[in-house]
Every structure is written in structure tokens, then in C-alpha cells.
Amino acid sequence: DPRFLSGLGVVYHEYVHYFVQHNLPTVPRWFNEGLAEYYSTFATDAEAAVVGLPVERHLTWIRTHDELGLAGLLESGGHTDERHRAGQVGQFYAVSWGLVHYLFSSDIERAGQLAEFFERTAQGEEPVRAFESALDTKIGDLEKALKAYFLGATLPAARIGLDRLDGAIDVRVEGTAPSDLFSLLGDLVVRQGLEQRAETLYSLSLAHDPDHAEAHAGLAFVRDLQSRLEEAEVLYRQALEMGPRQARSYLLYGRHLLARLPGAREEGGVEAAAALAEAAQLAFAQAADLDPEFAETHAMLGYSHLFTPGDAARGIAPLEKAQKLLPGRSDVVFHLLQLHLKLGHFDRARELTNGVLARIGGEDMVYRANEEIERASLIRAANEALREGRHEEGLRFLDNAIAVTSDPQVRAELERELHSLEARLPSSP
């Protein structure tokens, strides 16, 4: 689309995300992305604004595929297993856009039905059932209606006369410092995977203001993406010394610290890794203080407590808040489950697995969760047996925990622990 290629489509898309983040933080990701794509083709002329023009690549995808996968989109909330995400990204954006376009442009009553769907899911109703009840139609029938809608000769678009806006809104224009503008543009394009262009924009920001904290943090993030972690560390520290005004800078630094955990564990052991995790927790907490409704900071703050011994309970509250703000994020639920297992809350972990995770995470995520529960149960049994002097039984439990573990890194850690125990424990008579 010409608007997208010229950059305006990206601007409109990201502005909608900004609006949704601050006004509708609990909507599922498919709606967030579909709405952003719907408004990405926004256009104006001297007389009117036009909303709902087609996104040609999405329209082509829908018209050339028989199965839209609508039920799967609703069930997952728009989140897929990381291994499959790359292959499904075209489908996800196309169907999300198509569903929003149909709901917004096909019939004025659909918008009210969508609001009812959100109310039902907020009360805990399973998404597909809530959607069928709110729209009074079966998912299979809705998918057929969507196909027919997009196979039509033209798509409806709303043309709103500018005279209808007279007096409706109060618009104020304020100047933006060049350093802020270039930094914000850098944030925009780095999310599109345009690292070199983002680096240029952050550098332009620093040329106007060498003490621009957000530009330093943005440039550090580019270095992270380039696996130049030492350079990133220097830039992040410079950014923090300058006092960032945006939560995103602290969030990026916390993520950077967590990415360094494997290397710290190899070089300095558990204590060095725990120190890094604690520094990350401080960064995420500062981000949450700057923007309490920035859901990702709460998700990362809770997640970071998986890497510090003895304080797992402190990670529960931020993850529970993140779960409310991001109800479609299966990774948030999975990390919450892991923290409960660290605390020995096996019943709560099973409840999360069989409830919300089964609804939004899919079979792979549920399989991983059950593996986590089984391994934690076996490790607990091993520790109890070892404390009571039943050494052979304890080693056997630990060996079984290794057998049920599919993650190579976790498996290797357990094997090292087993070999260490075998070397230290007295042999049976």
C-alpha cells in the first residue's frame, strides 16, 4: 500500500497501538493488531476522512486461502508458540485485520456485539463461546461470512465529512524538540526490524542533544539486537545516568540484563547470575513506577524473580497484574505457574494449567506446563529423600526428573547436579 510504503501507514498503525495501550489494555492481541491495521490505511482529502480502505496484502491472503483459522485465533488471543510464529505471522495479521474490518464496516450492530464479547471474556467465559454468544452465530458460519465478505467486488469504507468534525474536538499543536522527534522515530522503525535506520535516527537525536537518555537507550537496544552486548551495557549505563523520562528505557535495560544471565552463570556461577537478575528487577520496578499501566514491565518484573533464590513470592503480584492487563499472553501465565512451583504451590500450578493456559496457550504450552509440574514434583521428592538419608531413592527421583525434561539447558543443569551428588554422597553398604 502506498501509505504504508511512505511511512504513514506505520505511523497510523503505531498510534493506534499507543491509544489501545493507554485506553484498552486488556483487549486480546488479535484485536489490537487488527485495529492498528484497519486504521493504517487512514486517508484524508480536502473534504473528508476515509477509514477502512483495504490492506492489499491481507486481502490477497484471505482471498487465496480456504481456511482462515478463526477459532484458533480467538482461542489463543493472537499468541502462538514461538516455534510456529514466523510461519503464521501472515495469517495472523491478515485474519486479525479481516475480522476487525468485518466487525467495524459490515454492519453497525457488530460494534455493540464486539463490546459484549469483551465483557464476556472479562468475566472468564471461554473466547470462542463468548464470541458465538455475542454475535449470535457459530464460528464456522462466521468464517463463511468473512470469506464471502472479502470475495466481494469492493469493501465498504467509511467516508466522514470534515464538516461533521467542526467543534467536536479540541486540537492543540505543540512543538517537539528535534532530539525527541528523532528518538521517537527510532523507536518506531526499530520495531519494524529496521536496525540500521533506527541507529541513524538515534544518532541524529544525540547530535541535537548528547544527553538524550531515551536515544542512548534506543541505541543500546540496537546493539543488543546486533549481539554487541558490551557496547550496549555502556550505552544503557549512560542512559540511566541521564535519568530517562520513559519507562521503555528501563524496560530495555532490564531485558538486556536478563539476556546476559547465561554468560554470567557460566563465568561467575549462581551468585553472579542472581546479582544480574536483582539489577534487572530494579530496572523493571523503576519502569513500573514511571508508568504503572505499562503491562510489559509487570510481566518482566515477575518473570525476573524466577532467577533469584528465595524471593519467588515477590514475583507473584506483578505477574498477576500483568495477567489482568494482558489476558491473552500465555507466557505470562506460564511464568506465573513456574513461580508457584518454586513456592511448592502444586495445586495452583495445576489449576492454571488446566484453566486459563489450556484456553489460551494451546497444546504445546499445556504439554510444557505439565512437564514443569512433573519435574518439580520429582525434584521435591528427591530433596525430601536426600534430607532423610534415603540417598539411592533421592538419586533415582532426580534421574527420573532428567528423563522427563525436554529443555536441553535444564536437562544439562540437572545432570550436573546428579553427578555432583553421586560424587559426594556415601555409597550404599
Side-chain angles (χ1 to χ4, degrees):
D1 185 277
R3 282 171 296 277
F4 189 86
L5 294 176
S6 69
L8 283 178
V10 177
V11 172
Y12 297 146
H13 179 107
E14 294 300 329
Y15 180 77
V16 171
H17 280 325
Y18 178 84
F19 174 85
V20 171
Q21 175 186 335
H22 290 279
N23 294 276
L24 304 166
T26 62
V27 296
R29 180 170 173 255
W30 68 260
F31 178 77
N32 193 346
E33 295 294 349
L35 189 68
E37 288 293 275
Y38 179 79
Y39 280 101
S40 71
T41 57
F42 175 82
T44 61
D45 56 31
E47 298 179 350
V50 182
V51 178
L53 292 170
V55 178
E56 294 299 336
R57 63 189 183 282
H58 298 334
L59 186 59
T60 298
W61 193 97
I62 292 174
R63 286 177 170 175
T64 55
H65 288 76
D66 294 330
E67 299 294 331
L68 301 183
L70 189 56
L73 182 78
L74 295 173
E75 289 170 353
S76 69
H79 293 276
T80 60
D81 187 281
E82 194 69 40
R83 292 170 294 175
H84 304 306
R85 189 171 296 168
Q88 295 179 344
V89 67
Q91 176 183 3
F92 167 66
Y93 280 95
V95 179
S96 297
W97 165 79
L99 184 54
V100 168
H101 199 291
Y102 176 77
L103 293 173
F104 275 39
S105 297
S106 68
D107 189 329
I108 194 170
E109 293 183 3
R110 291 301 191 193
Q113 293 171 332
L114 183 62
E116 181 183 342
F117 163 72
F118 290 142
E119 290 178 5
R120 287 174 174 271
T121 53
Q123 294 170 3
E125 190 170 341
E126 185 269 331
V128 171
R129 182 180 302 171
F131 210 84
E132 290 181 333
S133 298
L135 273 72
D136 192 25
T137 186
K138 294 295 183 183
I139 290 298
D141 293 335
L142 179 60
E143 187 153 327
K144 292 177 183 176
L146 275 174
K147 288 291 293 184
Y149 177 73
F150 288 106
L151 287 174
T154 59
L155 290 180
R159 184 175 174 86
I160 306 167
L162 298 183
D163 57 334
R164 292 171 56 187
L165 301 178
D166 287 349
I169 54 176
D170 178 23
V171 178
R172 290 175 296 174
V173 178
E174 297 180 2
T176 300
S179 56
D180 290 336
L181 178 61
F182 285 123
S183 181
L184 289 170
L185 287 172
D187 293 344
L188 181 66
V189 301
V190 79
R191 295 177 187 177
Q192 309 300 318
L194 304 174
E195 297 171 18
Q196 293 299 325
R197 188 174 299 178
E199 181 172 351
T200 299
L201 289 164
Y202 290 133
S203 298
L204 286 169
S205 173
L206 293 172
H208 284 273
D209 180 3
D211 296 327
H212 197 285
E214 282 71 29
H216 276 281
L219 195 55
F221 179 54
V222 172
R223 295 290 177 261
D224 271 337
L225 296 175
Q226 296 168 341
S227 299
R228 296 158 64 177
L229 300 185
E230 292 184 3
E231 294 178 45
E233 179 72 20
V234 172
L235 288 164
Y236 279 125
R237 290 189 179 279
Q238 291 173 346
L240 297 187
E241 289 174 1
M242 296 167 188
R245 296 164 294 169
Q246 296 178 5
R248 181 174 181 271
S249 298
Y250 289 102
L251 174 67
L252 293 177
Y253 182 54
R255 284 177 170 172
H256 163 81
L257 293 174
L258 292 185
R260 292 176 51 202
L261 283 180
R265 192 178 292 113
E266 289 183 8
E267 296 176 8
V270 175
E271 291 184 359
L276 265 187
E278 289 171 0
Q281 288 168 9
L282 178 60
F284 295 136
Q286 289 173 303
D289 287 342
L290 277 175
D291 188 351
E293 297 305 312
F294 191 3
E296 190 66 21
T297 62
H298 299 289
M300 294 304 299
L301 177 58
Y303 170 66
S304 65
H305 283 278
L306 286 169
F307 306 101
T308 50
D311 69 345
R314 293 172 55 198
I316 297 293
L319 276 176
E320 287 181 339
K321 181 168 184 176
Q323 185 186 359
K324 291 179 180 178
L325 294 172
L326 302 166
R329 283 278 294 275
S330 58
D331 61 313
V332 172
V333 180
F334 188 77
H335 297 149
L336 182 59
L337 174 151
Q338 289 178 304
L339 282 181
H340 278 297
L341 289 177
K342 284 190 71 174
L343 295 166
H345 302 162
F346 285 83
D347 288 343
R348 178 57 178 151
R350 293 188 183 95
E351 180 182 338
L352 287 168
T353 301
N354 298 325
V356 62
L357 197 59
R359 188 172 73 245
I360 69 173
E363 293 182 4
D364 287 347
M365 189 66 81
V366 170
Y367 178 87
R368 287 176 57 198
N370 283 322
E371 180 185 301
E372 291 277 329
I373 294 171
E374 185 176 4
R375 179 172 58 251
S377 179
L378 288 166
I379 291 174
R380 182 173 69 167
N383 290 334
E384 289 178 357
L386 291 169
R387 280 197 301 268
E388 295 172 3
R390 295 179 282 117
H391 297 156
E392 286 191 11
E393 187 176 357
L395 294 176
R396 188 164 58 251
F397 278 128
L398 192 55
D399 193 47
N400 290 338
I402 294 170
V404 302
T405 300
S406 59
D407 187 309
Q409 184 176 343
V410 177
R411 189 183 183 94
E413 290 176 359
L414 290 175
E415 287 174 343
R416 283 194 293 270
E417 184 177 349
L418 177 61
H419 295 154
S420 176
L421 286 169
E422 288 174 336
R424 289 187 285 110
L425 293 174
S427 303
S428 300

